[in-house]
Amino acid sequence: MPGARHKILGHVLSGFCHKMNRRKPLYGDSLDTPLNRCLTTFDITLLGVGHMVGAGIYVLTGAVARNMAGPATALSFLLAGITSTLAALCYAEFGTRIPRAGSAYAYTYVSIGEFWAFIIGWNIVLEYMIGAASVARAWSGYLDAMLDGAISNATIAVTGDLHETLLSRYPDVLAFLICIVASLILAVGVKTSAYINNGLTILNLIVISLVIFLGFYYADLTNWSEKNGGFMPFGFSGVLAGAATCFYAFVGFDSISASSEEAKDPSRSIPIATILSMAMVAFGYILVAISLTLMVPYTSINPDAALPAALGAVHADWAKYAVAVGAVCGMTTTLLGSLFSLPRCLYAMSADGLLFGFLSDVNNKSQIPISNLIISGLSSAFIALLFDLEKLVEFMSIGTLLAYTIVSAAVIILRYRPSPPSEDKIFGSPHLDSPIDREDSSATGTPGTDGGSSSSEMFEALTVGRLRAQYAWLEPLVGGRAPGSAVTSCVYIFTVAAAALCAHNHFLAEPAGLWALLPDFVLSFIIIACLVIIWAHQQSPVRLPFRVPWVPLLPAASVMLNVELMINLNALTWARFAIWMTFGLLLYFLYGIHHTKLGEGVTGLLSRSNSGTAHSWGSVDKTSSLARRVGRLGKGSKSDDRKPIICDDELARREP
């Protein structure tokens, strides 16, 4: 019965694809959470600044200037900062839409689907875990450099050298202990750890201001002259390679989004904190890179302790102690930021059923996921104990860039997708389900429309995801599809074409005539065509506290830059990333896809609260029409599952 086997296989695969693409609905009170909403805009801004200004400014700046970009390190930081800022704006819009823990994971679950959400969440776990370990390793290495190698020499004398390729030269016991201590600080509570982070971050900013002042005071412009290699000794390729590494310095801004569920007013605090922290950090990194390369030639920079060595070279030895204090403060806040965000991501994934249930347990007293914090601290500590800093930094960047790429693409998809009624009600965009609803809304005004909306806004709300009238000539190409589906397809095609274009230009060493440029012309045409088709569709008029400007151009530029930086990472980094993703996919297909709360139907995900109690995020009444509508989503409903794949009549026809 080959026909029967094909139908059975098709039924199984269609149900499997439906599970991978199901999206989490947004219903109920988005501010309801078991976590403690106590963080102000000031707290969240300093959390982001503290997470970003740490090992990058004290360790990474010297390494990039010495080995990759020279004085043009400032351009590397500028390019990495622009790339991160574009992604940060996309995060800020999602933070106002979805004020939940989990950052990009939660955003992707709502906008694209479960499978991609798990991929992003798994990469965020990698980012934060390795971020904490790399900072602890940099903290230890910086202190060791200040003590002329006393810590490393003593450790090697006891343990000997580790000769494995993937491991560091010696087990870093100090880095292990630093991770444990940081975890204990965070276990006290969110507000207490925020006070500690604020104080250390402010002290660190004062030290950085001092370094910039001294750098310009002792500046020598001959350090940028041709005699010393010029401003760009490694060429523009060195600037790009440096930007791919400098990107590590900006990865902490998504800790702002991770704190959404503990912010007092997330719709206001998240976008403000994101923009302020990115501006402060980018400005600081560029000025430090300029002042460092003006103080000393890039060839004489000490990659392990660049700023103290440079200050010693200009006879400002007294400032070395201030820099040491600032480095300790900066690396501590970066470590706290990573270990703050990692448990929140694990908590969000566990609460949705994609990870093991005990990871979503919240301590009643401190209102933080204690079991998550213990696992996060120990995992980061063991990684810091055994692995080298350079390998950790490269490994972390690829997962972060992938997360930023998907979030930027998700902004475009969500902007051209018709909003569910609950989201319209929350953000004040008109949503009209029927002529009766339209008549009632126009006559009386509803809370969702702030007392009545203009006819143009109502028309836009009804045509979201459809072609605009002036682009009707595209109807034969993209017409006849569900609203927003053509835009989603174009986003996928755009991303693949952008990756192919960047890869072609990266691996094509020397142009071999006009034929070598033909793929560039074809891929560029596809990219431009996708943007034109997306632009031709009607955007959602949902009024948010913050919206990314110039959609789809700005998110598309973010996707392009992220992909370009990913292509510039080395092959070994991609190989390690493939191994990590293999473990993640096994976890998803063997556990997550079968235990997700979306798989429990309406009674599992959408009706988590008891009758008479306040609804939590994602909850509606079992008997509501909205719940029935969600329960009928896709082909995987119970009524469909109960139907036989092959009916009796067909079996009778097949019998001889």
Side-chain angles (χ1 to χ4, degrees):
M1 296 172 55
R5 285 196 296 269
H6 289 165
K7 286 198 173 186
I8 293 173
L9 182 61
H11 179 80
V12 172
L13 291 178
S14 65
F16 210 63
C17 293
H18 165 69
K19 291 179 181 178
M20 293 173 61
N21 290 299
R22 55 194 169 191
R23 298 193 302 269
K24 187 172 183 176
L26 275 176
Y27 303 125
D29 185 4
S30 61
L31 297 179
D32 187 22
T33 174
L35 303 181
N36 183 18
R37 288 199 179 275
C38 60
L39 298 180
T40 64
T41 303
F42 181 76
D43 295 331
I44 298 173
T45 301
L46 289 186
L47 174 65
V49 172
H51 196 171
M52 288 184 278
V53 180
I57 209 161
Y58 293 102
V59 178
L60 194 65
T61 305
V64 173
R66 177 66 180 82
N67 303 319
M68 295 183 182
T73 300
L75 295 181
S76 296
F77 276 118
L78 178 62
L79 182 58
I82 292 173
T83 304
S84 299
T85 300
L86 295 178
L89 293 175
C90 299
Y91 271 76
E93 175 171 327
F94 271 116
T96 62
R97 288 179 181 267
I98 312 164
R100 311 303 295 179
S103 187
Y105 157 76
Y107 307 158
T108 308
Y109 208 164
V110 170
S111 59
I112 297 182
E114 181 178 285
F115 175 74
W116 287 108
F118 183 88
I119 295 295
I120 290 300
W122 190 243
N123 280 291
I124 291 176
V125 170
L126 173 71
E127 172 194 335
Y128 291 141
M129 189 184 301
I130 294 185
S134 63
V135 172
R137 193 88 195 190
W139 203 107
S140 174
Y142 194 86
L143 183 60
D144 184 51
M146 295 291 292
L147 298 176
D148 296 325
I151 299 175
S152 58
N153 293 334
T155 306
I156 292 173
V158 175
T159 63
D161 284 330
L162 300 178
H163 299 289
E164 296 293 333
T165 304
L166 295 177
L167 302 180
S168 63
R169 196 164 64 93
Y170 64 94
D172 198 333
V173 180
L174 180 58
F176 179 90
L177 295 176
I178 291 169
C179 284
I180 299 299
V181 172
S183 300
L184 293 176
I185 293 174
L186 291 171
V188 176
V190 176
K191 197 61 181 177
T192 302
S193 58
Y195 287 141
I196 296 173
N197 178 80
N198 293 349
L200 294 176
T201 301
I202 292 173
L203 184 58
N204 185 26
L205 292 176
I206 294 173
V207 172
I208 292 173
S209 301
L210 175 64
V211 169
I212 294 172
F213 172 78
L214 292 175
F216 283 99
Y217 181 79
Y218 291 104
D220 184 1
L221 291 177
T222 59
N223 292 327
W224 287 8
S225 64
E226 293 297 329
K227 181 180 69 174
N228 290 311
F231 179 74
M232 200 180 294
F234 297 93
F236 189 69
S237 61
V239 173
L240 281 178
T245 303
C246 290
F247 187 80
Y248 162 80
F250 296 94
V251 298
F253 79 79
D254 53 356
S255 62
I256 296 173
S257 300
S259 66
S260 295
E261 202 159 338
E262 287 152 302
K264 290 182 177 180
D265 185 7
S267 62
R268 177 178 178 272
S269 297
I270 299 304
I272 292 177
T274 299
I275 295 171
L276 283 179
S277 61
M278 286 299 300
M280 293 170 61
V281 171
F283 192 61
Y285 270 117
I286 293 172
L287 290 181
V288 167
I290 292 174
S291 60
L292 174 63
T293 53
L294 282 176
M295 277 194 290
V296 293
Y298 81 93
T299 53
S300 61
I301 291 176
N302 179 5
D304 296 322
L307 294 178
L311 291 170
V314 296
H315 308 293
D317 297 300
W318 59 272
K320 293 168 58 177
Y321 302 102
V323 170
V325 172
V328 169
C329 294
M331 294 182 193
T332 302
T333 57
T334 304
L335 179 60
L336 291 175
S338 295
L339 289 178
F340 172 87
S341 303
L342 177 55
R344 274 73 183 171
C345 183
L346 292 173
Y347 161 80
M349 297 180 71
S350 176
D352 290 332
L354 296 179
L355 292 181
F356 307 110
F358 72 93
L359 295 175
S360 59
D361 295 337
V362 177
N363 183 270
N364 293 329
K365 183 177 180 180
S366 61
Q367 292 183 281
I368 59 176
I370 288 292
S371 58
N372 276 349
L373 189 57
I374 295 173
I375 293 174
S376 303
L378 289 176
S379 302
S380 300
F382 278 109
I383 294 174
L385 179 70
L386 298 174
F387 291 92
D388 185 55
L389 174 62
E390 182 179 355
K391 297 182 179 65
L392 292 177
V393 170
E394 291 182 352
F395 194 19
M396 182 180 68
S397 295
I398 188 170
T400 306
L401 286 166
L402 180 61
Y404 291 178
T405 300
I406 295 179
V407 168
S408 299
V411 166
I412 304 176
I413 292 173
L414 205 58
R415 188 68 70 85
Y416 291 91
R417 176 180 294 161
S419 304
S422 58
E423 188 172 328
D424 293 328
K425 189 173 182 179
I426 292 171
F427 294 117
S429 174
H431 183 92
L432 304 176
D433 291 327
S434 66
I436 297 176
D437 293 336
R438 289 194 294 269
E439 183 177 349
D440 293 342
S441 298
S442 61
T444 62
T446 64
T449 60
D450 295 325
S453 299
S454 65
S455 58
S456 61
E457 287 179 328
M458 293 181 181
F459 178 77
E460 290 175 357
L462 292 170
T463 58
V464 171
R466 301 183 185 276
L467 283 174
R468 301 178 187 176
Q470 59 268 39
Y471 295 97
W473 53 275
L474 288 172
E475 187 72 26
L477 180 63
V478 297
R481 307 184 64 179
S485 60
V487 172
T488 302
S489 300
C490 286
V491 170
Y492 286 132
I493 296 171
F494 170 85
T495 305
V496 173
L501 179 63
C502 294
H504 179 260
N505 291 327
H506 178 75
F507 294 109
L508 185 66
E510 292 292 337
L514 184 62
W515 288 107
L517 298 177
L518 182 61
D520 289 344
F521 288 119
V522 174
L523 292 171
S524 299
F525 174 78
I526 293 174
I527 290 172
I528 295 173
C530 288
L531 291 176
V532 170
I533 293 174
I534 295 172
W535 185 271
H537 286 76
Q538 179 65 50
Q539 287 192 32
S540 171
V542 172
R543 291 188 290 273
L544 299 170
F546 177 81
R547 281 165 59 103
V548 178
W550 306 316
V551 173
L553 299 181
L554 192 148
S558 176
V559 171
M560 287 284 293
L561 291 173
N562 290 329
V563 169
E564 174 64 30
L565 293 182
M566 290 174 69
I567 296 296
N568 278 276
L569 296 172
N570 61 49
L572 281 178
T573 301
W574 280 95
R576 298 182 194 117
F577 178 71
I579 295 173
W580 172 258
M581 288 307 306
T582 300
F583 283 112
L585 292 176
L586 288 174
L587 179 61
Y588 174 71
F589 287 114
L590 294 179
Y591 179 86
I593 197 172
H594 304 293
H595 293 82
T596 172
K597 298 296 172 56
L598 282 181
E600 300 175 7
V602 177
T603 58
L605 175 73
L606 302 179
S607 302
R608 306 238 354 181
S609 58
N610 297 324
S611 58
T613 59
H615 293 296
S616 60
W617 183 58
S619 64
V620 296
D621 296 331
K622 291 183 183 180
T623 57
S624 68
S625 60
L626 203 54
R628 290 194 298 271
R629 191 182 310 167
V630 174
R632 292 194 296 267
L633 283 177
K635 298 180 180 180
S637 62
K638 292 183 179 180
S639 60
D640 290 337
D641 290 339
R642 291 173 180 172
K643 293 179 180 178
I645 301 174
I646 304 176
C647 62
D648 295 336
D649 293 339
E650 184 175 350
L651 287 174
R653 287 196 300 270
R654 291 179 179 275
E655 292 179 356

